[in-house]
Every structure is written in structure tokens, then in C-alpha cells.
Amino acid sequence: MWTELCGSFSANMPILLPIAPEAHLDQGDVLAGIATCISPTSPRPVQAKMRDFVVVVSRTCNALRDSLIVVAPVVTVNISALREIESPSDLIAAYVKIRNGDGAPDQFYIGEIAPHLKRFAVKFSELYTIEIPTEPQARASFVADHRKYRLDPS
């Protein structure tokens, strides 16, 4: 039944687009392999966490030139319940619910990130500031090493 439902949709509308390596860093860029830190209010040490993916939240002018930019982590979304859906209209309704963040406020569904077979969302309830190089060649190297996609603005 699942294959029949998936086959009934006519077009793939990507949320993430490939990006030219030489394009400047911009709001909506998906970066891979970024460490984020949480600074606790208690005397515990700072907690660092390596993120598979983050999305640049900083405005374009900041992402273009600043050393400190704001990012939001990308988290996995469990969509296993979708496999039980039996009608195309119910499947569409379920994806609309996921897209709108019902039951998961402050999240934006972005779908799959290749080569992973999981589904992902940007979690806007956690924002982090990361430091990136400002020297042009070092910045270009950072972007080439870490940027994977850009959110489709349309």
C-alpha cells in the first residue's frame, strides 16, 4: 500500500537544493559537522555537541562577512506512523501536519538529507553562535568543507 501511495504523487518538490561550491555563505545554508556548545547556569562545565547538520539562521549580510553566525540544529523526525496510512488524502494531511509543526513547535520539516534515509527538521527552539573564519580563503575553505545544501526559498 505504501508504494502505491508514494507512486500517486506526480512531482518531487525539493526543500533542499544543491549549491555551487563557490557561492557565498547565506541564510538557509545547511552545514555538516559543526560543534555547538551549551553554557550551563550552574558550575558544570560547558557541554559541546557535534551536530550532523545545522542551518544558518543569520541574515545574509551577517553570514557573508561576520565571524560569528547563528545556526539552528537539524534533528531527526520520526515518521514511522506514516507507514500505517491507507489513503492519499490522509497521507497528505499527515505531511501537512509535520510541515506545520503540529506537535513539534519551533520546527521546520526539511525532509531527507542524502545519503541518509532519515527525515529531518530544523529546531528553532535551540540557537547557537558559531565562529567561522573571516579571511577570504579560509572562509571559502570552511564553506567548501561544511556546506551541503541550501533551503529552497520558493
Side-chain angles (χ1 to χ4, degrees), residues 51 71-75 105-108 121-128:
R51 301 286 180 168
V71 298
V74 174
V75 298
D106 298 328
Q107 288 192 16
F108 176 74
V122 181
K123 188 174 183 181
F124 290 108
S125 60
E126 291 181 31
L127 297 176
Y128 300 95

Side-chain angles (χ1 to χ4, degrees), residues 110-128:
I110 58 173
E112 290 182 2
I113 300 177
H116 305 281
L117 297 177
K118 302 177 215 170
R119 302 300 175 111
F120 294 93
V122 181
K123 188 174 183 181
F124 290 108
S125 60
E126 291 181 31
L127 297 176
Y128 300 95

Side-chain angles (χ1 to χ4, degrees), residues 9 85 100:
F9 296 102
I85 293 175
N100 291 344

Side-chain angles (χ1 to χ4, degrees), residues 83-102:
R83 298 192 188 284
E84 307 302 320
I85 293 175
E86 296 186 10
S87 75
S89 61
D90 288 344
L91 183 62
I92 291 169
Y95 269 111
V96 166
K97 218 173 143 178
I98 291 170
R99 180 202 63 205
N100 291 344
D102 293 353

Side-chain angles (χ1 to χ4, degrees), residues 5 7 10 14 16 20 28-29 36 40 49 51 56 62-64 82 101-102 112-113 116 125 131 136 138 143 150:
L5 289 176
S10 60
L16 299 174
D29 282 359
T36 59
K49 183 173 185 177
R51 301 286 180 168
V56 175
N62 300 103
L64 184 62
L82 295 178
D102 293 353
E112 290 182 2
I113 300 177
H116 305 281
S125 60
E131 187 172 23
V143 170
R150 181 171 287 166

